[in-house]
Amino acid sequence: MAVYLDHAATTPMVAEAREALLDGLDLIGNPSSIHGHGQAAKRMLEGARERIASALGADPIEVVLTSGGTEAINLGVKGLFWARRQNAPARTRILVPRGEHHATVDAVEWLATHEGAVIDWLPVDATGRVDLTVAAGRMREHADEIALVTVILANNEVGTVQPVRALAALAAEHGIPVHVDAVAAFGHMPVSLRDLAVAAVSVSAHKIGGPVAMGALALARAHTVEALIHGGGQQRGVRSGTQDVPAALAFAAASDYAVANLDAQASRLDALAGQLAEGLAQIPGAQLRGADLDGHLDDGGVSVRARVPGNVHATFDGCQGDSMLFLLDMAGFSVSTGSACQAGIAEPSHVLLGMGLDERDALSALRFTLGASTSKKDIAELLAVLPRVVEQARAAGFSDRAV
């Protein structure tokens, strides 16, 4: 049986979420209808929202259900931008660290192209962590021009955790709202709208064992966003449309499971990641990227882990990542390069380029992300074949289009 080591892309549904989804499919009634069936569906929906809100450190009224993490991020970024500009048209600047997920990058670039936004890219260090000194300076210099700050909590490629509390505290000094992409973090480390003290947090269900096409934006009461979707006025008018009760129930079940097992799962994944890292250290030319696997970060006086559990990212000198991916796939292992691929042409990861790697090194990356189904045996089997895969990929070299 093939070994799945790409849980950051999507992870299998947990049994509790699958059962909740199937049970929910038997429900009858639109939760916006006022008859008995509709009101029964609404009670189920709002119960699910309460559980998701609890997992996110938010009030139920603050949870806006979406079609997934991408929509949640777009709603948070575009919605905050538009809302801020209503009363202050000069606020066109968006502060964005290098290495954000493409859902954020593409959203801010769309705003720059179509809405006159000015993207202010913040540098990151060699681990992918934002430079708070530069961020503070930009906020002081452009306080009256900044619409919002958007930042990823845990990098989806290299796993590095950002000092979100410290960044939010800097932004609060100037009354600047902060949106957090917590898609790669939620379910793997504590995520709380209240504790992070930010305006909005975006999450996704299928990253934590819930269904695909379900996510949420936790939007603090003190903030508002302009809607992306109109027609019906559901969910505070922020996100219109008939709400998916079965998917919400499954999302709630996955959230319950993730929160209940957070510490135990993190410890288990840390041990497996350590096992993999030790094996990678024996492969010539392999280099771990991102923050230390067992490191911690002082985030505004709160000690948090420096890297999301279960993420092991490495570059392999002289190897093309796509070659290793295909060779591993043939050997029965599913992994990721973590790089974008457009029109069949490999492109270097913008995350790694932002961390200071050159294009050749950025193209030599593999991302291994572990999950509930990962075992010590899986890691041992991977390490048994990986040296041969690296040798074969190194012998093949880089394609002319890749460098």
Side-chain angles (χ1 to χ4, degrees), residues 10-27:
T10 192
T11 198
M13 288 185 72
V14 297
E16 291 82 352
R18 188 182 303 110
E19 181 178 350
L21 179 64
L22 292 173
D23 289 345
L25 291 173
D26 289 332
L27 291 173

